[in-house]
Amino acid sequence: MFGDLFDEDFSILSSNQCGKPKSKRKDPELPNPRENTNLSGIKNQGGTCYLNSLLQTLLFTPEFREALFSIGPEELGSLEDTHKPESKVRVIPLQLQRLFAQLLLLDQHAASTADLTDSFGWNGNEEMRQHDVQELNRILFSALETSLVGTSGHNLINQLYHGTLVNQIVCKECKNVSERQEDFLDLTVAVKDVSGLEEALWNMYVEEEHFERENLYRCGACNKLVEAIKSAKLRKLPPFLTVSLLRFNFDFEKCERYKETRCYTFPIQINLKPFCEQTQLDDLEYMYELFSVIIHKGGCYGGHYHVYIRDIDELGNWQVLEEDGSLNDEDKDLKETENDKEKDNPLTILKNILLEVESTEMAVDCLAQKFWEKKSVSWNKKYRKQYGPIRKYLQNNSQDFLLSSDGSKVRLNDQSHYLSFGSQSQSHLRNEDEKMSLGKASTNLKEHFSESHWFDLNDSKVQPIREREIQKQFQGNESAYMLFYRKSQMMRPSEARGNPRYRVPSHLLNEMDTANIKLQKKREECDLADNNIDLHLHICSHYKFCNGALHPLHSQKESVLDLTFDKRKTLGELQQAVFQLLEFWEGDLVLSLAKSFPAGLHIYQILEGDDSTLSSTGLFDGADIFVWNGKEVDGVEVQTGIDHEPFLINVLRLAGHNEGRKGQQFMESQHVFSCSLSLRMICEALTSSKGIILKSHSGSEKEADNWKVIPEEDMEKTLRAVGLTDGCSILVLDSHDQSMVNVTGGNLTAFTHDISWLQVKKICNLEAEEMQVKITATVETMMSDIRIKAIEEMQLDKELVNNSCLRPIGKNGKLLCPVPEDYTVKEAELKMGSLLGLCSGKAPTATQLFLYFIVGHDLQCSPEKEIVVEETATVKECLNLILKKSDLTGDDWHLRKIDWCYEAGEPLNEENATLKELSICNGDILNVAEGKLPPKGFLKVPVWWYRPFSQVKHINNIQDQVNCISKKVGPSASRDLPTFLQSEVDLCYVGDIEISGEAFLEDLKIQVMTLPSIQEFSIPLPEFLRVWTMEKKQPCKLLRSNKEKLHKLKLGSRVEICIEPLFKEENLGPKDLLLRILMSVPGERDYYHPVDLIWDISKECTASALRGKIAAYYSLPVEKIEIAKYSPGKFEWMPISSWTQQMSKKKKKKKSDSLQSSPYSLKDGDIIGVKNLLIDDNTDFSTIKDDIGKQMQKQLTIEKTRQRESVQNDCFHEKKVTKHRKPEAALSISVGVFS
């Protein structure tokens, strides 16, 4: 169902610097034209294949299509009036008409159903959800019937699809007949234990059920239990008969659903006379022909739908199959068929490309470019839909292709090559078998003239099929699910044959004609753009030659001229164009292909052949061309070609602390050399003749085994000859480092991670001269030995031997925890080259903890202090030690642990618990906070002063609002504000209160009133305060009922509240809803200051009741206002209408219209916008702030999507994702009320 939604696209992976062509991306809004079938598919929106299949069936039901087209705009309205108030536009039939016109007339590969599904009231989730096509058929017909009420098409569905059947019970004694008539739009027939459709209909409408013995029937005429016969018959047959097959059943033993996949036959033509009540009519009246089969592939919990359709009006091109059958010579037909098949086989094409190149390997994106050059079409356009991206295709055919470890290069699998071409006899036998099978196929092809034109419409893909293909859908995992028959007597007029414009309304014809003209114009522009390539002309007078490469004299922009040129033109025309561009040029003008390297620009072959086109010479979009005289640049002779490419070599030397750039182990520098230079010349340029050069043979520089010494006999060879490449690394060892090399073995005996150095800096006496030494060590060296050796080399007092320790120094200069003496370098997790500080004081023992602590609430500005405590010390003992060291007194202190975000976490409540029990570790930071911990059962609640934007001075400029709130709330809070609207809230921290969980809400308000910051406002009573809980620095839940205990309000230990002052007393009841009402400013996209509206919802909470409440508040007529709810997180306004309803499949039952349920979910504090239609007819509720907010959200979503795709691509092949089955949801279509 999801197609290639998650496939990767490697077609645009190219780099101009690497000499690979750029691919010009086509306009994503420009649809591809129709293919050979001349029929249009329908795009899958993610899970709408069931909808696409049904829509195509309705489209290819000419009588339905024409009946729908016959209803004009004067009855249905206009789509342009959809958003006008009080306009009753019948959107669903209008959008269906428009979609049908696009499928018939618009020259595009596939049409979109987005507008149609929007008219259904579906959101993005609904379009991604899988549903049953039989269920959709009934609900869509119901929605159409409702939409067409009061129009000339009110009886459209009944006329075409409505039939009746009758159930009869005949008393055997009095012959009284009791009957019950039923209407149907489709017949649901059994599949289980039935061989086919005709048997199922026989069981339903021919066989009789007898009531006898213990199972008797009470006759109304006899008034007693009697024997009777029950039967059913078709009383009225519709012009179109829809048959729904019950493929899905429930296994009561296994308690699970399953799909019936056994063989179930159905005829192309069927005679329904045996199943009808009236049989006196002519047999032709009962004959029906199959014209559509909707097919389901998959299981009962998901799958994919597509449809086989008979093209009754012959609108499509079935010539694809007819051409094959029109040939007379069977042998010629077989040969051409086989050759064409082989030519279009992607496996053969890719193999031939790889066989043509000289090198054994080729980059995958180069292979894609060669494919494009060979077939004049990209891989994505020709084969991606069938085989996926080219890289995926190569992986799936590992028997023929071998990919490199990183997937960037590919070569042929030699073994498969020999297998394919090794045995001529086997190949001959295989070809003979193929000829026999193709011969049979050729014989069958001749029968096509008597066949109907059938097509397989699979979302966007449309292809012709044979009528016999239908038999394959009798059984299996992919099998028929719905059958559509039409009366055989229904004939089509001759003028409808092959005429897609037949009976299409003139306004839709004009719209499609205009759209086709625009599409054709865009395609012509794209075709012209596709043949133009951008060339970068490098003028020799702007370059100098040094270090084996060309470098611009000025900036790159000044040295390069960009030229757009038609690749169909010749090299001679290109040279003439360059001559005209460079009016100052004198002498010979030679064009050479060039390539940019990290070392500079390098020239390759001269472009020769004036009559050759640019495309035939291999010039690609973005190619670099060097313009010169063909001999020299700035008086210096330039060597060209692949043998003189410039190499950028990374030269590494062993380095001390902070000298290298690779983990403080190497000193690195970059040098440019011609690949034709000898190693001897390189060695003389880098070091003395006694130096040794090593190369990395595996691309890794972390292991000693990866470095190999270049022997003396290879020193006269060139860089390319010894295997060095552009961007590679060499290690140069001077004479004093050569003890690390085993020249005989040709490799390193040790490496910097085995034998290296640690830096030790003296910190114990800051007044003395600063000293620093380098101590040789290995990963197994003891830290005590390093400390003693450092003391000896710095010639410090021997007293420090027993009273000092080593502490790592962080990148920011901070002294970290002391390293235990009995640890090795490896156990201490130290990297070679690390800097250690020699400090006074002993290192903590194995039972002690080294901790940092900060005093006070200001964690950023207060200094960190250090303390060593026993891990068995209690929290209270640790606090006393810290207070003593900090010269603090009193009991009004407690400890908190600072988390990794450098914020104070939960307090350490258990004073008698040990630090070890609380998982306090070496290096943890504790915060000594002022204030006692609240007793057990008490809450410590931070209190904020809250004034909604109704009480804040209006600020016109959006940026001023953001800046204002950022200053008031602080940087940490302003980061959490998700919307501009939320940022219009004035919050100010006023203090903390401690209160028992058994206290009432009124007690909390009284205690808040005692805070010093609140007393200055002179609040008379608790009823003048409104209390909200807070989440993410925003009011969340309104606390009501002053006599409610706090623990019943479920306030947690980390709850924060905000207090909103009121101008009058308020005591909200449980059924009072507090709303913020915004009246729009006429003629502007803005609102007046909001007002609070208390709405009693005890009687009803409906849209009409809310409209009445707001209209009464503003003294306006109810019909002259429009209201909408604002969603701050989405920057969207949801109109609240009182006449829309949901049509459900369950007897069209009207859903609950309470505004507290979905989709409005109205709650306290919600914002309601109001439009006064008496003075403002604009019903757009959005503001400029909403536009800016949506744009910011869109950018954030794009960035998150990129990050998520990057993570998915890395983990896709490593983890097997378990699919959790989503709960099934009912399908519904939203329809307006029409009379």
Side-chain angles (χ1 to χ4, degrees):
M1 176 173 286
F2 297 97
D4 53 359
L5 183 63
F6 302 104
D7 283 349
E8 302 170 87
D9 186 359
F10 297 96
S11 62
I12 60 171
L13 295 179
S14 63
S15 172
N16 189 35
Q17 290 187 347
C18 298
K20 296 164 189 173
K22 298 185 297 181
S23 60
K24 291 187 177 181
R25 305 195 70 173
K26 290 188 177 181
D27 185 356
E29 297 180 359
L30 183 62
N32 293 325
R34 301 192 179 206
E35 295 182 349
N36 296 334
T37 59
N38 199 34
L39 296 180
S40 176
I42 302 179
K43 296 176 184 176
N44 193 329
Q45 296 189 53
T48 57
C49 58
Y50 66 101
L51 173 65
N52 297 348
S53 300
L54 183 59
L55 290 176
Q56 292 282 22
T57 299
L58 296 177
L59 173 71
F60 283 91
T61 308
E63 291 76 10
F64 176 87
R65 180 180 73 227
E66 292 164 5
L68 184 66
F69 280 149
S70 66
I71 312 171
E74 63 279 0
E75 295 184 275
L76 300 178
S78 174
L79 290 174
E80 298 174 356
D81 301 333
T82 303
H83 300 292
K84 291 184 179 180
E86 304 302 328
S87 65
K88 299 297 181 68
V89 180
R90 305 170 193 266
V91 184
I92 293 177
L94 283 172
Q95 291 290 5
L96 197 56
Q97 282 183 348
R98 190 165 180 269
L99 176 64
F100 281 2
Q102 291 175 351
L103 291 170
L104 289 170
L105 302 172
L106 198 58
D107 185 17
Q108 60 179 1
H109 175 65
S112 171
T113 56
D115 292 337
L116 180 64
T117 54
D118 287 345
S119 71
F120 291 169
W122 293 359
N123 53 29
N125 293 332
E126 190 66 39
E127 289 147 1
M128 293 295 295
R129 209 176 270 139
Q130 299 185 36
H131 286 289
D132 185 78
V133 70
Q134 297 176 2
E135 177 187 21
L136 173 69
N137 183 57
R138 300 175 188 119
I139 293 175
L140 180 60
F141 279 2
S142 175
L144 281 173
E145 283 183 320
T146 306
S147 298
L148 297 176
V149 169
T151 71
S152 59
H154 69 280
N155 205 29
L156 185 152
I157 301 298
N158 279 339
Q159 285 180 345
L160 298 179
Y161 297 94
H162 177 261
T164 57
L165 59 87
V166 59
N167 293 290
Q168 295 181 341
I169 301 179
V170 180
C171 175
K172 286 187 177 182
E173 293 189 8
C174 67
K175 306 302 179 181
N176 178 59
V177 179
S178 173
E179 67 176 30
R180 178 171 54 88
Q181 183 173 294
E182 296 180 12
D183 299 328
F184 68 86
L185 294 178
D186 66 304
L187 291 179
T188 303
V189 299
V191 174
K192 184 180 180 182
D193 299 329
V194 181
S195 62
L197 174 63
E198 291 169 308
E199 182 183 347
L201 293 175
W202 185 273
N203 294 341
M204 295 169 63
Y205 303 116
V206 175
E207 289 190 354
E208 299 175 339
E209 181 183 357
H210 293 267
F211 295 99
E212 55 189 12
R213 298 177 185 175
E214 297 179 356
N215 183 26
L216 296 176
Y217 166 72
R218 178 172 291 278
C219 177
C222 301
N223 196 22
K224 64 178 180 178
L225 294 175
V226 296
E227 292 184 350
I229 299 174
K230 180 181 179 182
S231 62
K233 291 289 183 181
L234 297 173
R235 173 166 287 177
K236 175 181 173 293
L237 291 176
F240 295 93
L241 180 65
T242 304
V243 180
S244 299
L245 306 182
L246 290 177
R247 286 274 182 192
F248 301 115
N249 284 309
F250 190 82
D251 189 331
F252 289 94
E253 293 183 359
K254 297 181 179 179
C255 288
E256 64 181 12
R257 294 170 65 188
Y258 69 95
K259 180 179 178 180
E260 291 283 354
T261 58
R262 287 176 291 185
C263 182
Y264 188 89
T265 62
F266 47 89
I268 299 296
Q269 288 190 336
I270 187 171
N271 188 346
L272 297 180
K273 186 174 184 178
F275 317 118
C276 294
E277 183 183 33
Q278 298 177 4
T279 59
Q280 66 273 20
L281 300 176
D282 186 75
D283 282 357
L284 290 178
E285 294 288 338
Y286 306 98
M287 292 300 298
Y288 280 76
E289 294 178 349
L290 183 70
F291 75 97
S292 177
V293 181
I294 294 182
I295 299 156
H296 179 267
K297 178 181 180 181
C300 53
Y301 295 105
H304 178 67
Y305 290 95
H306 63 108
V307 60
Y308 287 176
I309 289 181
R310 177 187 163 204
D311 185 9
I312 297 169
D313 283 347
E314 298 186 6
L315 302 177
N317 178 20
W318 212 57
Q319 291 297 116
V320 177
L321 291 176
E322 288 185 358
E323 290 172 359
D324 293 339
S326 62
L327 297 174
N328 297 323
D329 190 350
E330 286 190 4
D331 294 334
K332 185 178 178 181
D333 177 65
L334 289 171
K335 188 173 182 179
E336 290 182 358
T337 303
E338 186 175 0
N339 290 339
D340 292 339
K341 186 176 180 181
E342 190 68 13
K343 285 179 182 178
D344 287 333
N345 186 356
L347 186 65
T348 304
I349 298 170
L350 296 177
K351 278 186 176 181
N352 290 338
I353 293 174
L354 290 172
L355 288 172
E356 289 172 2
V357 298
E358 296 178 0
S359 58
T360 57
E361 278 191 340
M362 177 182 285
V364 174
D365 44 357
C366 277
L367 180 63
Q369 174 63 22
K370 292 285 187 183
F371 179 91
W372 180 84
E373 294 174 358
K374 193 175 186 70
K375 303 298 291 182
S376 299
V377 65
S378 68
W379 172 276
N380 279 358
K381 188 171 183 180
K382 188 170 181 66
Y383 292 119
R384 177 185 173 92
K385 196 166 186 179
Q386 184 176 1
Y387 298 106
I390 188 170
R391 199 182 304 269
K392 182 179 178 182
Y393 180 81
L394 295 172
Q395 290 172 345
N396 293 339
N397 290 274
S398 56
Q399 71 276 11
D400 298 294
F401 304 103
L402 292 180
L403 280 170
S404 59
S405 57
D406 59 354
S408 63
K409 293 184 177 181
V410 63
R411 64 182 176 88
L412 280 174
N413 189 340
D414 294 335
Q415 185 177 0
S416 75
H417 181 65
Y418 291 134
L419 287 174
S420 298
F421 301 95
S423 175
Q424 295 183 357
S425 60
Q426 290 182 3
S427 176
H428 173 74
L429 290 174
R430 183 191 62 186
N431 291 337
E432 289 297 321
D433 291 337
E434 288 181 356
K435 286 183 179 180
M436 291 177 63
S437 62
L438 286 172
K440 295 178 181 178
S442 177
T443 303
N444 293 331
L445 285 173
K446 295 180 179 178
E447 301 172 2
H448 78 281
F449 293 105
S450 61
E451 291 186 20
S452 301
H453 294 187
W454 284 83
F455 290 90
D456 178 10
L457 292 97
N458 191 347
D459 289 338
S460 301
K461 185 178 180 181
V462 181
Q463 60 183 11
I465 61 170
R466 296 288 180 188
E467 191 174 83
R468 59 176 176 268
E469 294 291 322
I470 299 174
Q471 298 177 9
K472 297 180 181 178
Q473 309 304 328
F474 286 168
Q475 62 186 346
N477 187 47
E478 183 177 4
S479 50
Y481 190 58
M482 285 188 77
L483 308 175
F484 296 84
Y485 286 88
R486 57 183 284 124
K487 277 194 173 184
S488 302
Q489 282 189 331
M490 297 176 64
M491 304 301 294
R492 298 290 297 150
S494 58
E495 55 268 27
R497 183 184 178 91
N499 182 12
R501 304 173 70 89
Y502 183 70
R503 295 284 180 90
V504 179
S506 58
H507 69 281
L508 288 176
L509 288 174
N510 295 334
E511 181 183 349
M512 296 303 112
D513 290 342
T514 304
N516 278 326
I517 293 172
K518 291 181 179 179
L519 279 176
Q520 183 61 28
K521 186 177 179 181
K522 279 189 176 182
R523 288 184 182 127
E524 290 174 356
E525 293 172 354
C526 287
D527 182 60
L528 181 62
D530 286 344
N531 285 311
N532 285 340
I533 59 175
D534 296 328
L535 302 177
H536 306 303
L537 303 180
H538 302 262
I539 314 303
C540 67
S541 59
H542 296 169
Y543 279 83
K544 64 179 179 179
F545 185 79
C546 61
N547 291 332
L550 294 165
H551 300 274
L553 293 173
H554 308 290
S555 66
Q556 185 75 14
K557 185 176 181 180
E558 296 176 358
S559 305
V560 180
L561 293 178
D562 291 331
L563 176 64
T564 301
F565 208 73
D566 193 333
K567 65 183 179 182
R568 294 169 292 188
K569 293 185 178 181
T570 63
L571 283 174
E573 291 174 308
L574 173 62
Q575 194 170 27
Q576 185 65 28
V578 175
F579 257 125
Q580 295 175 359
L581 190 64
L582 305 176
E583 298 177 355
F584 61 86
W585 190 271
E586 294 180 359
D588 296 335
L589 186 143
V590 177
L591 303 181
S592 297
L593 191 62
K595 180 179 176 182
S596 293
F597 283 89
L601 190 70
H602 182 65
I603 303 174
Y604 286 89
Q605 73 273 16
I606 295 175
L607 299 175
E608 296 177 334
D610 291 346
D611 296 330
S612 302
T613 63
L614 270 61
S615 57
S616 65
T617 57
L619 279 181
F620 49 82
D621 187 39
D624 292 300
I625 296 179
F626 194 72
V627 184
W628 61 320
N629 59 12
K631 297 177 181 178
E632 59 184 22
V633 176
D634 196 22
V636 180
E637 185 178 351
V638 178
Q639 293 179 318
T640 63
I642 193 171
D643 294 332
H644 300 285
E645 288 181 348
F647 282 0
L648 183 67
I649 305 296
N650 296 318
V651 180
L652 308 177
R653 297 175 185 270
L654 296 183
H657 173 70
N658 276 343
E659 294 177 357
R661 283 180 287 175
K662 290 188 175 255
Q664 297 179 336
Q665 298 180 14
F666 294 111
M667 179 176 62
E668 181 179 350
S669 59
Q670 294 183 331
H671 300 266
V672 178
F673 303 104
S674 172
C675 65
S676 59
L677 290 180
S678 68
L679 279 175
R680 181 71 64 194
M681 299 172 66
I682 302 298
C683 188
E684 291 175 356
L686 296 175
T687 183
S688 63
S689 57
K690 297 181 180 180
I692 294 177
I693 297 180
L694 301 93
K695 66 175 181 178
S696 175
H697 66 87
S698 66
S700 174
E701 301 163 3
K702 297 182 179 180
E703 300 294 338
D705 293 340
N706 294 331
W707 290 96
K708 295 296 181 183
V709 177
I710 298 177
E712 182 66 25
E713 56 269 22
D714 289 346
M715 296 300 286
E716 302 302 329
K717 295 182 179 180
T718 64
L719 298 183
R720 191 187 296 276
V722 295
L724 295 178
T725 57
D726 185 39
C728 69
S729 300
I730 62 173
L731 177 62
V732 179
L733 297 181
D734 296 326
S735 56
H736 60 274
D737 294 322
Q738 295 180 16
S739 59
M740 302 173 62
V741 178
N742 177 9
V743 180
T744 306
N747 57 3
L748 291 173
T749 55
F751 202 54
T752 49
H753 74 270
D754 295 325
I755 299 177
S756 196
W757 306 271
L758 293 172
Q759 297 282 346
V760 179
K761 183 178 180 180
K762 184 186 70 171
I763 299 179
C764 52
N765 187 2
L766 298 178
E767 296 178 359
E769 180 184 357
E770 182 177 326
M771 300 180 67
Q772 186 170 311
V773 294
K774 186 164 66 173
I775 307 298
T776 303
T778 68
V779 292
E780 300 299 330
T781 305
M782 300 294 293
M783 296 305 301
S784 58
D785 296 337
I786 295 174
R787 182 176 60 85
I788 294 172
K789 191 172 181 180
I791 292 173
E792 292 176 353
E793 291 197 12
M794 287 188 282
Q795 298 179 357
L796 301 177
D797 295 337
K798 292 185 178 180
E799 297 177 358
L800 288 174
V801 174
N802 298 321
N803 191 28
S804 62
C805 62
L806 292 176
R807 300 179 62 180
I809 300 177
K811 293 181 180 180
N812 57 357
K814 178 182 176 180
L815 283 171
L816 305 180
C817 297
V819 180
E821 292 282 289
D822 55 350
Y823 274 27
T824 64
V825 174
K826 184 177 180 180
E827 291 172 337
E829 299 180 356
L830 293 175
K831 294 181 178 179
M832 289 302 172
S834 298
L835 181 61
L836 303 174
L838 182 65
C839 305
S840 301
K842 292 185 177 182
T845 64
T847 61
Q848 291 179 325
L849 297 175
F850 182 88
L851 304 175
Y852 300 94
F853 66 89
I854 300 174
V855 178
H857 290 286
D858 194 351
L859 304 181
Q860 303 295 333
C861 300
S862 301
E864 286 185 2
K865 299 181 182 180
E866 304 163 352
I867 190 172
V868 177
V869 297
E870 294 290 336
E871 63 180 8
T872 56
T874 63
V875 173
K876 189 172 184 179
E877 292 170 348
C878 179
L879 175 62
N880 292 334
L881 289 173
I882 292 175
L883 293 176
K884 183 177 180 181
K885 188 166 184 176
S886 305
D887 296 327
L888 298 174
T889 57
D891 298 329
D892 197 18
W893 302 92
H894 66 277
L895 288 179
R896 292 175 181 263
K897 184 179 177 181
I898 296 178
D899 58 20
W900 63 278
C901 295
Y902 216 78
E903 295 180 356
E906 292 286 348
L908 304 181
N909 291 314
E910 303 178 26
E911 293 186 338
N912 295 323
T914 64
L915 299 179
K916 185 177 181 180
E917 292 172 346
L918 297 178
S919 301
I920 304 297
C921 306
N922 267 320
D924 282 349
I925 307 174
L926 301 179
N927 174 221
V928 184
E930 192 171 3
K932 280 188 175 181
L933 290 174
K936 191 173 183 179
F938 277 71
L939 300 173
K940 187 170 185 178
V941 184
V943 181
W944 295 74
W945 183 257
Y946 165 54
R947 288 185 297 164
F949 52 173
S950 59
Q951 304 170 18
V952 181
K953 185 178 179 181
H954 185 66
I955 304 172
N956 291 326
N957 186 275
I958 298 174
Q959 189 60 42
D960 290 344
Q961 293 179 353
V962 177
N963 295 338
C964 172
I965 299 305
S966 298
K967 293 175 182 177
K968 291 177 181 178
V969 183
S972 62
S974 64
R975 282 195 302 268
D976 294 331
L977 299 175
T979 68
F980 289 107
L981 194 60
Q982 287 174 322
S983 67
E984 297 184 47
V985 172
D986 192 9
L987 287 171
C988 180
Y989 175 74
V990 294
D992 297 340
I993 62 170
E994 288 186 10
I995 190 168
S996 171
E998 297 295 325
F1000 297 100
L1001 178 60
E1002 184 179 22
D1003 300 330
L1004 183 143
K1005 292 182 179 180
I1006 294 173
Q1007 193 163 340
V1008 168
M1009 291 166 59
T1010 62
L1011 292 172
S1013 301
I1014 305 294
Q1015 290 179 354
E1016 62 183 76
F1017 293 98
S1018 302
I1019 297 173
L1021 293 170
E1023 285 77 11
F1024 284 82
L1025 287 179
R1026 189 182 286 160
V1027 183
W1028 302 80
T1029 61
M1030 288 181 61
E1031 285 186 10
K1032 298 180 180 180
K1033 303 299 181 186
Q1034 288 298 312
C1036 177
K1037 177 185 176 183
L1038 178 61
L1039 303 181
R1040 61 186 77 217
S1041 182
N1042 286 338
K1043 297 304 179 181
E1044 192 73 36
K1045 289 188 177 182
L1046 297 182
H1047 72 84
K1048 291 187 177 181
L1049 296 174
K1050 298 181 180 179
L1051 303 182
S1053 60
R1054 304 192 69 170
V1055 70
E1056 296 185 43
I1057 64 171
C1058 56
I1059 303 299
E1060 180 184 352
L1062 304 173
F1063 296 107
K1064 60 180 181 180
E1065 294 186 34
E1066 179 182 272
N1067 191 6
L1068 298 178
K1071 291 295 182 179
D1072 288 334
L1073 193 63
L1074 172 66
L1075 301 175
R1076 314 278 193 195
I1077 308 300
L1078 288 168
M1079 173 60 76
S1080 66
V1081 179
E1084 298 181 20
R1085 297 182 66 192
D1086 202 357
Y1087 293 89
Y1088 293 112
H1089 296 315
V1091 296
D1092 291 348
L1093 178 67
I1094 309 283
W1095 180 29
D1096 184 4
I1097 59 172
S1098 57
K1099 293 183 179 179
E1100 61 176 338
C1101 182
T1102 61
S1104 57
L1106 177 58
R1107 289 167 65 89
K1109 179 72 176 179
I1110 294 175
Y1113 181 85
Y1114 285 105
S1115 301
L1116 293 172
V1118 176
E1119 66 274 6
K1120 293 301 179 181
I1121 65 169
E1122 288 291 335
I1123 60 176
K1125 179 196 171 185
Y1126 185 64
S1127 301
K1130 298 180 180 179
F1131 302 98
E1132 292 179 351
W1133 294 85
M1134 184 186 299
I1136 301 177
S1137 176
S1138 59
W1139 63 272
T1140 58
Q1141 67 177 4
Q1142 294 286 333
M1143 296 302 297
S1144 172
K1145 69 173 185 176
K1146 296 183 178 179
K1147 299 181 182 180
K1148 304 181 186 178
K1149 185 178 180 181
K1150 192 174 180 181
K1151 293 186 176 179
S1152 172
D1153 54 358
S1154 172
L1155 294 181
Q1156 288 186 306
S1157 59
S1158 179
Y1160 300 104
S1161 304
L1162 214 59
K1163 63 182 183 302
D1164 290 314
D1166 278 348
I1167 300 165
I1168 304 295
V1170 183
K1171 290 279 186 179
N1172 183 357
L1173 302 182
L1174 292 175
I1175 56 177
D1176 187 3
D1177 59 354
N1178 183 10
T1179 57
D1180 181 14
F1181 285 85
S1182 64
T1183 65
I1184 298 176
K1185 302 174 187 178
D1186 300 329
D1187 297 341
I1188 298 174
K1190 286 183 178 179
Q1191 185 63 28
M1192 293 172 61
Q1193 269 190 343
K1194 185 177 180 180
Q1195 294 175 356
L1196 182 62
T1197 302
I1198 292 173
E1199 186 62 29
K1200 287 183 177 179
T1201 302
R1202 288 175 181 169
Q1203 295 175 358
R1204 183 166 60 248
E1205 288 177 350
S1206 176
V1207 173
Q1208 287 176 348
N1209 290 338
D1210 293 339
C1211 303
F1212 185 77
H1213 297 291
E1214 298 178 7
K1215 292 186 177 180
K1216 184 178 179 181
V1217 180
T1218 302
K1219 291 186 178 180
H1220 297 284
R1221 190 175 297 151
K1222 293 182 180 180
E1224 295 184 9
L1227 179 66
S1228 64
I1229 295 177
S1230 178
V1231 189
V1233 176
F1234 305 99
S1235 57

